[in-house]
Amino acid sequence: MRRKVIAGNWKMNMLPNEAIEYIESFSKLVENTKNEVILCVPYTDLFYALMNAQGTNIKIGAQNMHFEEKGAYTGEVSAKMLKSIGVEYVIIGHSERRQYFAETDETVNKKIKAAFANDLKPIVCVGETLEQREAGIAEKVITEQTRFALDGLEKEQVKKVIVAYEPIWAIGTGKTATSEDANNSIKSIRNEIKKIYGDDVADNVIIQYGGSVKSSNAKELFTTSDIDGGLVGGASLVPEEFAKIVNYDEQQ
Ligand code: PGA
């Protein structure tokens, strides 16, 4: 049985004092869950979040990183830097980064390799646009993105990757993929991984759904055959709401 991994993506929200208050109340609300809980916070919150999550079951992640280890890359942060302060996870290739910051399948692949070289666990985002879905090429797009992203990795590394399937039309729009659609897309990603890396890797890799996940739809999504949890944006900004998502398995 794969574990469920539920990650919050705060995006460009929350000042350090807000992050500290959030973790104080959120940690009490999720202390009994058996699901894995991750908060991916802005760089400026990382240190505070790490300090305040100590002794809790909350893991801390960043939302991006550069693939080079150091050098003349003004404004960038490397995997080694993240690791040096105790960060465990990093989101790579979020659609907002692909759309607004020119991330490509190639940079995504380089970043994943750099993350592993520094013992960080990548949460890799893939997902189709509305036009691609309407043109009937969604499956092709997401399986190709997955293949490119994981290219050249060892089997043992692929097992540790978290893939987040996030249809772009569902992000921040209030539109959620139906649990059946999301589960089918995730099955095709798992199948692609199976073709390349074999049954054992495909059966172990965590594949989340993301895109307007909230407490009212989390249970339906996360209890399907292949959805192993979620990457949650807007609804992760309120501790009570995000805790309900993490504790989806306690809902009646
Ligand atoms: P959303 O964002 O939950 O606000 O739709 C998800 C994401 O972008 O990771």
Side-chain angles (χ1 to χ4, degrees):
M1 262 289 276
R2 289 183 298 271
R3 68 197 194 283
K4 299 285 182 190
V5 182
I6 298 154
N9 173 12
W10 285 357
K11 308 192 179 182
M12 197 170 72
N13 294 290
M14 305 287 250
L15 298 173
N17 62 319
E18 296 170 318
I20 293 166
E21 271 174 38
Y22 179 113
I23 291 173
E24 209 170 281
S25 59
F26 179 66
S27 58
K28 296 191 189 93
L29 300 172
V30 298
E31 65 188 357
N32 294 321
T33 186
K34 55 181 187 347
N35 303 322
E36 193 168 328
V37 192
I38 307 169
L39 287 175
C40 297
V41 308
Y43 291 136
T44 43
D45 290 340
L46 279 172
F47 183 75
Y48 300 95
L50 285 160
M51 288 295 126
N52 285 276
Q54 264 179 22
T56 75
N57 53 349
I58 302 167
K59 297 174 176 170
I60 302 298
Q63 300 172 8
N64 180 38
M65 49 165 264
H66 197 272
F67 49 80
E68 294 292 351
E69 196 172 289
K70 59 180 177 181
Y73 301 99
T74 303
E76 292 293 324
V77 171
S78 71
K80 194 171 191 167
M81 290 169 172
L82 295 176
K83 187 67 193 176
S84 72
I85 60 166
V87 172
E88 222 179 309
Y89 287 90
V90 59
I91 298 176
I92 292 179
H94 189 280
S95 61
E96 287 150 17
R97 300 233 33 109
R98 293 184 195 245
Q99 189 182 347
Y100 307 132
F101 303 97
E103 295 245 346
T104 62
D105 288 331
E106 194 190 341
T107 58
V108 167
N109 179 253
K110 282 186 179 173
K111 287 182 180 195
I112 297 170
K113 287 178 180 156
F116 276 122
N118 289 280
D119 202 20
L120 284 176
K121 296 173 203 148
I123 301 174
V124 183
C125 303
V126 299
E128 80 283 1
T129 63
L130 187 59
E131 296 82 75
Q132 290 165 333
R133 166 158 282 245
E134 283 170 351
I137 55 168
E139 186 176 332
K140 179 171 177 284
V141 170
I142 59 177
T143 50
E144 273 179 15
Q145 283 177 344
T146 306
R147 189 153 22 89
F148 282 130
L150 305 181
D151 186 47
L153 295 184
E154 307 287 331
K155 279 187 179 183
E156 284 312 304
Q157 292 176 322
V158 179
K159 267 195 207 176
K160 290 188 202 139
V161 167
I162 296 176
V163 179
Y165 165 62
E166 301 205 307
I168 294 168
W169 48 270
I171 295 179
T173 57
K175 287 187 205 152
T176 321
T178 64
S179 55
E180 198 188 342
D181 269 358
N183 195 45
N184 283 337
S185 295
I186 286 178
K187 271 190 195 164
S188 55
I189 294 170
R190 201 178 296 289
N191 236 338
E192 187 69 15
I193 293 176
K194 186 182 288 197
K195 274 195 250 159
I196 308 168
Y197 301 97
D199 284 349
D200 181 39
V201 175
D203 290 343
N204 279 287
V205 68
I206 298 291
I207 312 182
Q208 300 172 314
Y209 167 78
S212 299
V213 174
K214 33 190 186 284
S215 59
S216 56
N217 59 24
K219 186 172 181 181
E220 193 190 332
L221 287 159
F222 300 169
T223 48
T224 52
S225 65
D226 279 65
I227 303 181
D228 304 323
L231 181 58
V232 185
S236 75
L237 293 174
V238 180
E240 293 75 20
E241 171 68 3
F242 190 42
K244 281 190 202 157
I245 297 173
V246 169
N247 296 323
Y248 76 92
D249 40 359
E250 307 284 308
Q251 285 177 20
Q252 295 303 315

